[in-house]
Amino acid sequence: MAKNVLIVESPTKEKTIKKYLPKDFIVASSYGHVRDLPAKTLGVKIDADFRPEYVWLPKAKKNVAHLKKLVAKAAAVYLATDFDREGEAIAWHIADGLNIPEDRIKRITFHEITKEAILGALKKPRAIDAALVDAQAARRILDRLVGYKLSPLLWKKIAGGLSAGRVQSVALRLIVEREAEIAAFKSSDYWTIKAALKSSDSSAAGKTFEANLTKIDGEKIEKETTYKLFAGPYKIKTTVLNDESVLDGHIAKIAASPFVVSAVDKKRQERRAAPPYATSTLQQDASRRLSFYAKKTMSVAQSLYEGVDIGGETVGLITYMRTDSLNVASVARAEAREYITKNFGEKYMPASPNIYKTKSKGAQEAHEAIRPTSIKRSPEVVGKYLSREQNLLYSLVWKRFAASQMSPAAFDVASADLRAGAYEFRAVGRTMLFDGWMKVYDNSDENYSELPPLAQGDNCALVSPPSAEKHSATPPPRYNEASLIKTLEEYGIGRPSTYASIIYTIMQRRYVELQDRRFTPTETGTLVTEFLKKHFADIVDLAFTASAEEGLDEIAEGKKPWKDLIRNFWGKFADQIKQADVTVLTDEKCPECSAPLAERASRYGRFLACSAFPKCRYIKRVKPAPKAPPVPTGENCPECGAPMVERTGRYGKFAACSAFPKCRHIKKENKPFGKFRRFKRKGSSDKNSASEPAASE
């Protein structure tokens, strides 16, 4: 009797799912993508209406032969690849490449790898979604056209070995523009005045509190300056107290004036929990709280999704981790409410379930948020079965989901306005009445200060002389992984499956470096961005890139033919290629043949080369700007005793021995990239890894 064949993407997932299926099923893995555009040629027939030329991936050929034998004898072939465009495309390539008859193809999807989810999916097979396949093909072709047509130009105009990508180039521009904005920023000093007070009223006597100066002669001292940045406005709040010479006069007048409470406002405030994680927010929180890089976050999340051995049983611990949806299955909500009531009490369970709506553009609402497959598997229960990294990330997911289903936290918020002659101060206090969701979700950064029970007309006295604190207006901060991902998401650049690969790619290409976990552009990255801005403004434009993403969403929804998007893009892009393929010359002449010199760049920096190359091979080196001397760290080398200094390498700052090259000691724990560069674990189906075709070139 012929058996059914179920095909997934990874051996880990294969191992987990195999235990849940009836005996008449054979489970096999495709090991990720099986077909793609060829690696060394364009692979898109532009003259044949952009027909893609797919080829078997070299790494997949042996496995494909095995799959072909399995499906030839199968009663039915269940394609259980991931529930997104990439997964749909893999399913189609398997079906199309292996010539599986349409009546034997059964496409199934699931958000979590549990027995209930798998058996439920088997009962609801469907056909392959052609619209999703078209959307993935359109993205792949669009990215291939950009990558293969721009890269030779970059080799010719800037330096050999460079490349450009549709989405990565926008991310790079964000970093380059931010660096320019920081360089152009003009800082200024300003001061704030505070007063430490205590109430003279008997009920509040002896209790001190702090108040901040807000007005002088009825005029607000705070001002807001808005700077126009590439990625939206940047607002800085300062005060009109920007002249140090007037401070002593103000402080003397304040100290000589009695303080009287002019108004008191009290109100109850509720704070709802944040929604469960989507891909971008998980990556942002893992970066901020765990110091995980986006690629590492996705790799660890993939292992939790595919299954972990829990006491002899392989169990998928979280739902699918590439999602922009905040939906939660009703079954999961019901289980969470039961768990919260049992473990925390009725008051921690809201009267009705908390439901969150997705705000991101093009969100796939059919998907679910990232959550534990069962809230009953708390970190305390499963932690002993997990690696340290798995436990850290799982705890983050579990706590965020549990908190999202709990009652709001409640506070008493009180504010008091006080007058001291011509000066007005404000004091604010907040008291927690009920911790609610904060009982499970770490909020150690929350600060609470209480006000004494003040009333209008109360007199207050200074505990100490008023103090002035100096501040400096700061430039916009450089992007770290969390803020870069947040910005990309806000502008609709990329999708959940691409954030990690975007950042990984611009790092690998040496377009940016990390300094204190923040991105700074290299000279090469700046040159590439300036070239693209000059000749291909659309490629690095936020609005244009976002509109392309919206077009891909329309294709996925079946509202737009995929070739329309490619045709509209290619017409203008092809003209820009022709216009940009003109050598930009300097005013300087070659001393050997008198031809104009052209500016070039290499991994060693900028240089001038004769435009008559290869007939004339004259090169003039451009002296680089002197590097700043290394900064001592205050430590001595444990190997030779020489001072340790801070140096900057490919991936940012690190501590090294100043006696280099005689002593090559490096302080390993300070190596900035940590385990980011570790290759993916064997059998992983992480489509964002370096060994798989990139989601966006």
Side-chain angles (χ1 to χ4, degrees):
M1 181 178 176
K3 290 192 173 184
N4 298 308
V5 173
L6 186 142
I7 300 176
V8 293
E9 287 147 304
S10 78
T12 306
K13 196 185 295 186
E14 173 188 338
K15 180 182 175 182
T16 305
I17 292 176
K18 189 180 294 183
K19 297 180 180 181
Y20 303 144
L21 297 178
K23 293 182 179 179
D24 62 336
F25 271 84
I26 296 174
V27 185
S29 170
S30 71
Y31 289 83
H33 282 274
V34 294
R35 292 197 311 188
D36 193 20
L37 300 174
K40 296 183 179 180
T41 59
L42 178 61
V44 179
K45 289 290 185 181
I46 296 173
D47 296 337
D49 207 12
F50 305 99
R51 187 182 75 244
E53 296 180 303
Y54 294 117
V55 297
W56 293 112
L57 291 171
K59 71 178 184 64
K61 287 183 178 179
K62 184 177 180 180
N63 189 50
V64 165
H66 170 64
L67 293 177
K68 195 167 187 177
K69 291 179 181 178
L70 289 179
V71 302
K73 302 176 182 178
V77 179
Y78 289 80
L79 300 173
T81 48
D82 285 342
F83 190 20
D84 57 13
R85 294 177 196 170
E86 291 291 311
E88 204 73 22
I90 292 173
W92 178 80
H93 280 292
I94 292 171
D96 183 70
L98 299 181
N99 296 313
I100 304 173
E102 191 171 336
D103 61 346
R104 288 178 10 192
I105 297 172
K106 297 183 183 296
R107 174 77 169 113
I108 62 170
T109 57
F110 35 82
H111 299 288
E112 60 188 41
I113 303 179
T114 60
K115 184 175 183 178
E116 295 77 12
I118 302 302
L119 296 180
L122 289 176
K123 296 176 182 178
K124 300 176 182 178
R126 60 168 173 81
I128 293 174
D129 190 326
L132 290 179
V133 176
D134 285 348
Q136 192 274 346
R139 176 188 289 279
R140 194 76 183 99
I141 292 169
L142 194 62
D143 292 341
R144 176 55 65 96
L145 291 174
V146 171
Y148 268 69
K149 295 299 181 180
L150 279 188
S151 296
L153 270 179
L154 294 179
W155 301 346
K156 187 175 180 181
K157 302 297 182 181
I158 300 177
L162 299 181
S163 58
R166 182 179 61 89
V167 183
Q168 289 90 335
S169 296
V170 178
L172 175 60
R173 182 180 177 183
L174 283 167
I175 295 167
V176 170
E177 293 278 357
R178 179 56 52 87
E179 197 67 23
E181 290 156 357
I182 292 170
F185 185 85
K186 295 181 179 180
S187 184
S188 59
D189 296 333
Y190 64 97
W191 285 260
T192 56
I193 295 177
K194 295 181 179 181
L197 303 163
K198 65 179 179 179
S199 174
S200 301
D201 181 73
S202 59
S203 65
K207 295 181 179 179
T208 62
F209 62 96
E210 194 174 75
N212 297 299
L213 178 65
T214 57
K215 293 181 182 179
I216 301 176
D217 289 324
E219 295 293 327
K220 290 183 177 181
I221 68 166
E222 186 178 85
K223 65 178 182 178
E224 187 173 80
T225 304
T226 302
Y227 291 85
K228 293 182 179 179
L229 305 183
F230 171 60
Y234 177 61
K235 296 181 179 180
I236 295 178
K237 288 185 177 181
T238 58
T239 75
V240 296
L241 297 175
N242 50 21
D243 184 354
E244 190 174 11
S245 64
V246 304
L247 291 177
D248 289 343
H250 286 305
I251 289 173
K253 290 178 183 179
I254 293 168
S257 303
F259 278 77
V260 180
V261 178
S262 57
V264 175
D265 180 52
K266 296 180 180 179
K267 59 184 177 182
R268 180 171 175 139
Q269 186 182 76
E270 287 191 342
R271 183 176 166 190
R272 288 188 71 193
Y277 286 124
T279 302
S280 65
T281 50
L282 177 62
Q283 291 174 350
Q284 290 170 51
D285 248 17
S287 174
R288 284 190 292 256
R289 293 170 175 257
L290 308 178
S291 297
F292 281 11
Y293 292 95
K295 185 174 175 63
K296 179 176 181 177
T297 298
M298 297 310 290
S299 176
V300 176
Q302 182 91 25
S303 69
L304 294 172
Y305 166 69
E306 292 185 343
V308 177
D309 190 323
I310 305 294
E313 181 186 4
T314 305
V315 179
L317 291 181
I318 66 170
T319 54
Y320 191 53
M321 63 285 153
R322 294 187 185 91
T323 177
D324 48 15
S325 173
L326 299 180
N327 281 345
V328 173
S330 57
V331 174
R333 278 202 304 267
E335 185 186 53
R337 289 173 67 80
E338 180 185 343
Y339 182 90
I340 291 165
T341 303
K342 181 179 178 181
N343 290 273
F344 302 109
E346 289 280 353
K347 62 181 180 179
Y348 286 93
M349 185 183 72
S352 57
N354 294 335
I355 297 175
Y356 302 89
K357 291 187 177 180
T358 307
K359 295 181 180 179
S360 63
K361 298 177 182 178
Q364 301 178 66
E365 291 296 341
H367 289 190
E368 271 202 74
I370 303 170
R371 61 169 176 81
T373 53
S374 173
I375 197 171
K376 295 177 182 178
R377 298 190 191 100
S378 67
E380 293 74 22
V381 171
V382 302
K384 61 184 177 182
Y385 301 106
L386 306 178
S387 69
R388 177 181 174 275
E389 294 169 345
Q390 288 175 327
N391 193 31
L392 287 170
L393 194 66
Y394 181 73
S395 295
L396 208 60
V397 172
W398 189 94
K399 290 177 180 178
R400 176 83 165 221
F401 173 68
S404 75
Q405 302 303 308
M406 295 174 73
S407 299
F411 304 88
D412 261 348
V413 180
S415 62
D417 293 325
L418 303 98
R419 295 189 67 90
Y423 301 89
E424 293 183 42
F425 286 75
R426 169 161 285 196
V428 179
R430 187 165 69 152
T431 306
M432 179 181 281
L433 301 175
F434 175 57
D435 55 359
W437 57 270
M438 292 184 178
K439 191 173 185 68
V440 299
Y441 196 61
D442 176 25
N443 275 272
S444 55
D445 58 341
E446 293 283 341
N447 293 314
Y448 307 105
S449 59
E450 293 186 40
L451 285 183
L454 301 172
Q456 187 174 357
D458 282 355
N459 294 309
C460 295
L462 283 166
V463 176
S464 58
S467 61
E469 185 177 354
K470 182 180 178 180
H471 309 271
S472 294
T474 57
R478 291 185 175 97
Y479 289 104
N480 56 22
E481 273 207 327
S483 59
L484 182 60
I485 290 169
K486 183 178 180 182
T487 302
L488 292 172
E489 183 186 34
E490 285 177 351
Y491 285 90
I493 309 299
R495 284 297 179 259
S497 62
T498 66
Y499 299 135
S501 66
I502 289 170
I503 293 170
Y504 183 79
T505 301
I506 59 176
M507 287 295 304
Q508 287 296 99
R509 291 175 181 170
R510 301 186 187 184
Y511 291 162
V512 299
E513 293 176 341
L514 278 176
Q515 294 183 8
D516 298 325
R517 294 187 66 86
R518 291 188 176 272
F519 294 111
T520 59
T522 62
E523 184 177 25
T524 301
T526 302
L527 282 171
V528 168
T529 296
E530 293 304 318
F531 177 80
L532 294 178
K533 282 169 61 178
K534 182 176 181 180
H535 299 287
F536 301 91
D538 287 349
I539 295 296
V540 288
D541 180 69
L542 287 172
F544 177 83
T545 308
S547 68
E549 295 292 347
E550 291 173 2
L552 291 169
D553 290 338
E554 290 178 356
I555 294 169
E557 294 164 7
K559 298 178 180 178
K560 184 177 185 177
W562 71 268
K563 290 185 179 180
D564 285 0
L565 183 145
I566 304 297
R567 291 190 200 104
N568 292 338
F569 168 80
W570 178 252
K572 185 176 181 180
F573 182 63
D575 290 339
Q576 290 174 331
I577 291 286
K578 292 178 182 178
Q579 293 171 14
D581 194 13
V582 177
T583 302
V584 179
L585 307 175
T586 67
D587 295 331
E588 194 170 344
K589 301 293 183 181
C590 174
E592 295 184 3
C593 71
S594 299
L597 295 180
E599 189 174 282
R600 297 281 188 267
S602 73
R603 61 184 296 184
Y604 304 108
R606 300 190 186 201
F607 64 94
L608 298 178
C610 182
S611 58
F613 179 87
K615 290 182 179 180
C616 177
R617 295 179 176 270
Y618 173 78
I619 289 176
K620 178 183 178 181
R621 300 292 178 186
V622 177
K623 190 175 181 180
K627 291 185 177 180
V631 180
T633 65
E635 299 176 89
N636 291 328
C637 175
E639 294 186 7
C640 72
M644 296 288 287
V645 294
E646 185 181 82
R647 297 188 184 279
T648 301
R650 176 179 177 184
Y651 298 113
K653 295 181 180 179
F654 62 96
C657 182
S658 60
F660 179 86
K662 290 183 179 179
C663 178
R664 296 177 177 269
H665 175 72
I666 291 175
K667 192 174 181 181
K668 293 184 178 179
E669 59 267 31
N670 277 8
K671 284 185 178 180
F673 240 51
K675 297 181 179 179
F676 178 84
R677 299 184 67 220
R678 184 174 61 185
F679 290 104
K680 67 170 187 172
R681 58 191 175 81
K682 186 177 180 181
S684 171
S685 63
D686 184 355
K687 293 184 285 295
N688 288 325
S689 68
S691 61
E692 295 287 354
S696 293
E697 290 188 18

